[in-house]
Amino acid sequence: MVVTNVLHMNTGVGETSYASNSTHQRKVLLKARPVLEDALKELYTDHRLSAQCLQIADLGCSSGPNTFLFMSEIIDTLHGLSKQSNCKAPELQIYLNDLPGNDFNSNFKAMPTFYNNLKEEETEDGSGRVCFVAGVPGSFYDRLFPSNSLHFAHSSYCLHWLSQVPENLENKGNICITTTSPPKVYEAYMKQFQKDFSKFLSLRYQEMVPGGRMVLTFVCRSMEDPTSKDWTIWELLAKAFLDLVSEGLIKGEDVDSFNMPYYTPYKDELKTIIEMEGSFHVESLEVFEHNWDHNDEDNVHRSADNISSLFRAVCEPLLASHFGDLFDVFEKFSKNVSDHMCQEKLMVNGIIVSLSMK
Amino acid sequence: MVVTNVLHMNTGVGETSYASNSTHQRKVLLKARPVLEDALKELYTDHRLSAQCLQIADLGCSSGPNTFLFMSEIIDTLHGLSKQSNCKAPELQIYLNDLPGNDFNSNFKAMPTFYNNLKEEETEDGSGRVCFVAGVPGSFYDRLFPSNSLHFAHSSYCLHWLSQVPENLENKGNICITTTSPPKVYEAYMKQFQKDFSKFLSLRYQEMVPGGRMVLTFVCRSMEDPTSKDWTIWELLAKAFLDLVSEGLIKGEDVDSFNMPYYTPYKDELKTIIEMEGSFHVESLEVFEHNWDHNDEDNVHRSADNISSLFRAVCEPLLASHFGDLFDVFEKFSKNVSDHMCQEKLMVNGIIVSLSMK
């Protein structure tokens, strides 16, 4: 499986699309807002960065309302800072990056409306548009931008995706790390994450200007223990696939040979990687817990459906690239989630890291 | 009709797609190659432009093989120049621009293959990718790029498209200028082109760096006379719509109220606009004639089918946005073209203009 070719959120704006099922991610984006604003403020007041145009990247932008929420947030914050300091707002070039299978067309079709709404924000001298948006297809585990060009990079809820599934995994009956996975499975995943995240940092270091800043938000583990209950959600999805196997709809070997390109580090693990790689200072690091269900519903069935819809919007193309027909796996998954939630809620931890270039 | 929202080539890679029916435009691109190479050479040797990264825009890139042909041409030429001068090749950032309805997803999905093919071109020190591609949705009659950022702009076979249909046209039974259109129709079209092309130049002037260059290729008229036979092709398409009217399939008023946002200037008319606008020097200007049929077939039916397929790939979304169902209009058009070609071939004139910033 070449992750770059098959990983993307569900396209379009339909019932199962990412655009219609990304309230969870919206909440994460709003959670990170104060950190984002602080980083932009420091960027704005850094006199090394008196550029006529600030170059900003959203790495893993996906499509739909969250993509536009991020851009509005950036523009509003920087315009607010300009007003406060009585300066003309800088021009902004915002790069929306995601893998080549992402639905850029949906974002691009919404751009005329976005630009029209921005008109009020145009410079008073009538010199026109102050924000220029471009789409950049490619993996953030590769170079994406010219050297020494980027002022600010942002990534929300993407860096838990690995560049590839670790090689030679023996993880039968599972589709990710589980509490019962052999230690070698955890170690292989951890090493892949270390390699990927280090590469991510060193690539961005090449692309950024001195004084450049990054704010990264992604899923993390709540505890150091690698076999923690943070993996429960994937066990419940694996169980749904195993049910399909027992019904003779898919083959057991298809489950055995599939593993998610997904890993969530513990905060100390992340700090160590950043220090070892050496390109960036950690300005702040914050862990938060929230419900996988964005609505935090009391009704376990509705709650389970919300979670299943979220996972479907995010994972369906990836899973379909391996299994082909997915039958009613997301209904089964919802049932498993619902059963589990009779005992306890399904929580998830996120980490917000603010970094500055050394 | 808001041209920005409805004008785009047929998407995807199917039988009627632009990607599968753009050999005509490919020939135009190859025709302009020497001019493109000269302009890049002058750009490369201009010492004002010792940028670490050259910023290059393809305005109206569409989708499919021609988009990639242009990029390969740019990269090959600049790498050739670097080799000749024994210098490290500059990084390139290529912006693919088109209207928001363009099929950017198709281009983006082909990027991994394009980048893989480029690997041989990577810098010898292993510093990685030398070309960074971004998509820019928007009309080139608006600002698209930050001020003072672009080194080279290119546009092939797009600038005959106007930003809007001239207002209050009375052009009954026609869908563009024809030999029988009232003078007011021609004047309104001419004025719209003057306005649009002047705006195009002044916007690019804001976006380009001193020493910046442009190469523009588009359809032009073969003679000064505005009612020349250059419009014949549109008369044959209008006739196909009038046939649909006589069959009761569409309403006559739908034809009367539709006009193409399309105008082709005569070379002297173009020179005057460039001089009046005042931002650019004309470095070279070349007119060429070629057949609307890219294969220049002897068999009139095959030739007419080729031309009909070309027009379908280019005009179908625009026409469908006005007429809804197009029935068999392109078959009728092919028949009309074929009948006409029994008397004479259907030729078209193109103009290649190379410009440098004043």
Side-chain angles (χ1 to χ4, degrees), chain A residues 310-352:
Chain A
L310 163 67
F311 274 72
R312 181 173 190 171
V314 169
C315 299
E316 192 167 23
L318 178 76
L319 295 170
S321 78
H322 178 83
F323 291 100
D325 197 333
L326 296 176
F327 301 99
D328 58 349
V329 78
F330 290 107
E331 284 81 352
K332 286 184 159 52
F333 175 53
S334 180
K335 169 80 173 49
N336 297 343
V337 169
S338 159
D339 290 349
H340 183 89
M341 285 173 70
C342 293
Q343 298 161 323
E344 59 172 348
K345 284 190 176 182
L346 274 165
M347 304 303 285
V348 54
N349 277 58
I351 192 162
I352 309 167

Side-chain angles (χ1 to χ4, degrees), chain A residues 130-247:
Chain A
V130 291
C131 173
F132 304 94
V133 178
V136 174
S139 165
F140 49 53
Y141 298 123
D142 285 321
R143 276 291 296 275
L144 295 168
F145 304 99
S147 305
N148 204 32
S149 67
L150 222 52
H151 299 88
F152 189 78
H154 168 262
S155 179
S156 187
Y157 244 47
C158 302
L159 277 155
H160 40 253
W161 293 108
L162 300 171
S163 72
Q164 62 172 74
V165 175
E167 283 166 7
N168 305 321
L169 277 190
E170 295 215 8
N171 196 23
K172 281 194 173 181
N174 299 320
I175 61 164
C176 200
I177 300 174
T178 66
T179 47
T180 58
S181 292
K184 274 195 178 170
V185 168
Y186 167 72
E187 280 159 26
Y189 264 108
M190 186 187 64
K191 276 190 187 154
Q192 187 64 47
F193 180 82
Q194 280 174 347
K195 194 177 153 193
D196 282 344
F197 194 68
S198 294
K199 191 171 183 198
F200 174 87
L201 295 173
S202 72
L203 291 168
R204 299 298 86 77
Y205 184 78
Q206 292 170 49
E207 292 166 352
M208 295 189 93
V209 300
R213 303 282 307 229
M214 286 211 283
V215 173
L216 313 174
T217 308
F218 50 103
V219 185
C220 72
R221 276 204 321 285
S222 61
M223 55 187 79
E224 194 151 13
D225 176 11
T227 60
S228 73
K229 64 177 180 174
D230 298 84
W231 306 108
T232 303
I233 196 88
W234 298 109
E235 291 174 17
L236 299 172
L237 184 54
K239 195 168 169 291
F241 277 108
L242 293 174
D243 287 346
L244 290 181
V245 174
S246 67
E247 290 172 22

